[in-house]
Each structure stands twice: as structure tokens, then as C-alpha cells.
Amino acid sequence: EEQLQMWDLNKRLEAYLARVKFLEEENEVLRAEIQSAKGSPAGDSWRVKYEEDLRALRDALDHAFREKCTAELARDNLYEEVQQVKSRCQKEQAAREEAKKQLSLSRKELEEERRAQIWLKERAVQLEKEVEALLEVHEEEKAGLDQEITSYSQSLESFRCAPVAFQPVEVEDYSKRLSEIWKGAVETYKTEVSQLEGSLCQAKENLWKAVEDNHKSQLQLQHLEKDLAGLKVRKEMLEESLAQQWQEQRGEAEKFQLAMEALEQEQQSLRVQIARVLEDRQQLMHLKMSLSLEVATYR
């Protein structure tokens, strides 16, 4: 029984020794391959290529980050320009409203001037009619006075010794007073007519000024509308360029994100390979130690 056990133990020891020898030979071969790979230019070139790729990707990432910062600055500048355009549009809208108000006020003033002109024309016609009526009355009074003077002169010729109250001098004084009163009334009406003509000329000048102000307001309104249309077009162009830059930046960010994910996956695979190699080496070390212990126990 002990011989059988010793024989079985010898067989196991022989198998273990053969396995250890095979693993040591394989370990030596792997070590030689690793040393040759480290010493060979192909391994160095692969490592250099990997480092160059990694460096290029890092440079690309830095460039993308700088472009991102530049795009953010451009976005902020575009946002400021859009805000300025909006404020300018608001100012021009306020100026347009103010121009509309001025235009409405000018139209009101124009209507008032037209009404005043119509009233002045009617007043002038009325005064002309009054002057004509006064002239007719004056002619009638003058004719009556002439008739009275002729009758008085006839009575004076018939009656030489007439009283003092019916002398021709008093009649002439009376006619002179009447003529002076008439002249005063005519002068008064003339002054009123001249005042009305002056106010009519002033009304015409005000009307002309109102028409010119209206024309200027319309020209200013058209200019403001043109500026507003140009600002709207510029705003649309800025918004389109901003959207295009955002899309380009998003596409570049997605590309660099994919590149980073690929690098992380490659790094993870390398870590897995390194862990696997370390685990294999650890298993070999454990197997060697167990064989060494069994050899020592057998001895």
C-alpha cells in the first residue's frame, strides 16, 4: 500500500515537474519576446506612434477647447450686438412713434390753420360787405346833405335876413364833421382789413410751415422705416450665423467626445490586457510556489 502511494506520488511529482519545466520554458520564451519587443525598433515605433496619436488627440482637444472659448466669446459678442440692435430698434420705434405724434399734431395744426383761413376769408367778405353798405349809406347821406345844402342855399337866397342858425358856415361845419367821422370810420375799417390781411398772411405762413414739417416728418419716417428694415435683415443674418456656429460647435464637440470615448475604451482594453497578464503571472507564481512546496514536502 505504501509502495502504491509512493508510486502515485512519484507520478504526480513527475507530472508537476514536467508542468513546471514547461511553464518555465514558456515564461522564458515570453520574457525573451518581451525583451525583444522592448529592444526592437518596432515596439518603440508602436509606442512612439501611440504616444504621438495620444499627443495629437490632446492637441486636438486643446484646439477644440480654444475654439469653444472663441465660439463662446463670439456668441457673447453676437448676443451683445443683438441686444444693441434690439435697443436701437426700440429707440427707432420710439422715434417713429414720436414722429407719428408730431405728424398728427402737424395735421391738427394744419386743420386749425385751414379753419382759421376759412374764417378769415368769411370775415373779410363780411367786412367788404359792411364797407360796401357803409359806402352806400355814406353816399345816401352825402346826397341827402347835398339836397339839404341846396335847399338851404335856395332859402338863403330867398331870405337874405335869415337867422344865424341857418348860415351856410354851420352846414359846411356839419358836413366837415360828417366827412371826418366817415374818414375815421373808413380808416378804422381799413386798419381792421389790414390786420385781417396780416393775420391771413401769418396763417398762410403757418400753413406752409406745417406742410413743410409734415413733409419732413414723412421723409424722416421713411428713413426710419428703411433703417428698421436693414436692422431686421442684419438681426436675421446674425441669428443665422449664430445658429450655424452653434451647430458647428456642437458637431465638433460630438466628434471630440467620440474620440475621447474611443481613447477611453482603448485605455480600458489595455488595462484589461495588463490585468490579464498580471493575473496569469500571479497564477504561474502560485503554481510554482505550490509545486515548490510539494517538492519540499516530498523531499
Side-chain angles (χ1 to χ4, degrees):
E1 186 176 359
E2 289 179 359
Q3 285 179 358
L4 290 174
Q5 289 179 359
M6 289 297 294
W7 183 76
D8 188 14
L9 186 59
N10 287 325
K11 290 290 183 181
R12 290 176 61 189
L13 180 60
E14 186 179 359
Y16 283 133
L17 290 173
R19 179 69 177 169
V20 168
K21 187 177 180 181
F22 175 74
L23 290 173
E24 285 180 353
E25 289 176 355
E26 189 176 0
N27 193 8
E28 290 295 332
V29 171
L30 290 172
R31 188 177 297 168
E33 288 180 357
I34 290 170
Q35 292 295 328
S36 64
K38 287 182 179 179
S40 65
D44 293 336
S45 64
W46 179 80
R47 187 174 181 180
V48 169
K49 185 178 180 181
Y50 178 74
E51 289 179 354
E52 287 178 356
D53 293 335
L54 186 62
R55 192 179 298 109
L57 289 172
R58 286 177 179 174
D59 293 334
L61 184 62
D62 293 334
H63 183 67
F65 183 73
R66 288 194 294 270
E67 287 183 353
K68 182 181 178 182
C69 294
T70 306
E72 288 178 354
L73 290 172
R75 181 193 64 188
D76 295 334
N77 292 326
L78 288 173
Y79 181 74
E80 290 179 357
E81 288 182 0
V82 169
Q83 293 296 325
Q84 290 178 1
V85 169
K86 286 183 179 178
S87 63
R88 188 174 177 183
C89 287
Q90 290 177 358
K91 289 180 180 178
E92 290 186 354
Q93 188 69 24
R96 186 177 178 182
E97 295 294 332
E98 186 67 23
K100 286 183 179 179
K101 290 180 181 178
Q102 293 292 332
L103 183 61
S104 62
L105 291 173
S106 299
R107 287 177 179 175
K108 289 181 180 178
E109 291 179 356
L110 182 61
E111 292 294 331
E112 290 178 356
E113 293 294 334
R114 286 178 180 174
R115 291 175 184 175
Q117 186 179 4
I118 292 168
W119 181 81
L120 288 172
K121 287 180 180 179
E122 292 177 353
R123 182 64 177 169
V125 171
Q126 186 179 1
L127 289 173
E128 287 177 356
K129 290 180 179 179
E130 290 179 357
V131 168
E132 289 177 357
L134 289 171
L135 287 171
E136 290 177 357
V137 172
H138 177 67
E139 292 294 334
E140 291 176 357
E141 289 180 354
K142 188 176 181 182
L145 288 173
D146 291 334
Q147 291 177 1
E148 289 179 358
I149 289 168
T150 53
S151 62
Y152 285 143
S153 61
Q154 290 175 2
S155 62
L156 285 173
E157 287 177 358
S158 59
F159 298 100
R160 295 290 182 181
C161 297
V164 181
F166 293 98
Q167 291 180 359
V169 179
E170 291 182 357
V171 174
E172 290 178 357
D173 292 334
Y174 181 69
S175 63
K176 287 180 181 180
R177 288 179 184 177
L178 285 175
S179 63
E180 288 176 358
I181 292 169
W182 168 247
K183 287 180 182 179
V186 170
E187 292 294 331
T188 304
Y189 282 112
K190 284 182 180 180
T191 53
E192 288 181 359
V193 170
S194 63
Q195 289 177 0
L196 289 172
E197 288 178 352
S199 62
L200 183 61
C201 293
Q202 186 68 31
K204 288 181 179 179
E205 290 178 359
N206 293 327
L207 181 62
W208 180 251
K209 288 181 181 179
V211 171
E212 288 182 351
D213 293 334
N214 189 7
H215 185 64
K216 289 180 180 179
S217 300
Q218 288 180 356
L219 292 175
Q220 188 177 3
L221 184 61
Q222 291 176 0
H223 182 67
L224 290 173
E225 287 178 353
K226 289 181 181 178
D227 291 339
L228 183 61
L231 289 173
K232 284 182 179 178
V233 172
R234 187 180 177 187
K235 181 182 177 183
E236 291 176 357
M237 292 175 63
L238 289 174
E239 288 178 353
E240 288 179 358
S241 62
L242 182 62
Q244 187 176 2
Q245 287 183 1
W246 269 107
Q247 290 178 359
E248 292 177 356
Q249 185 179 0
R250 190 180 292 110
E252 291 178 356
E254 289 177 356
K255 289 180 182 178
F256 287 115
Q257 186 68 28
L258 292 174
M260 290 296 294
E261 289 177 357
L263 287 173
E264 288 179 357
Q265 290 178 359
E266 188 177 357
Q267 187 179 5
Q268 190 67 28
S269 64
L270 289 173
R271 286 179 181 176
V272 171
Q273 290 178 4
I274 292 168
R276 190 178 297 168
V277 171
L278 290 174
E279 187 177 358
D280 291 337
R281 290 186 65 183
Q282 191 174 4
Q283 288 179 0
L284 289 172
M285 290 297 294
H286 283 299
L287 183 59
K288 187 176 180 181
M289 288 176 65
S290 64
L291 289 173
S292 300
L293 289 174
E294 286 184 0
V295 169
T297 303
Y298 179 70
R299 287 176 181 176

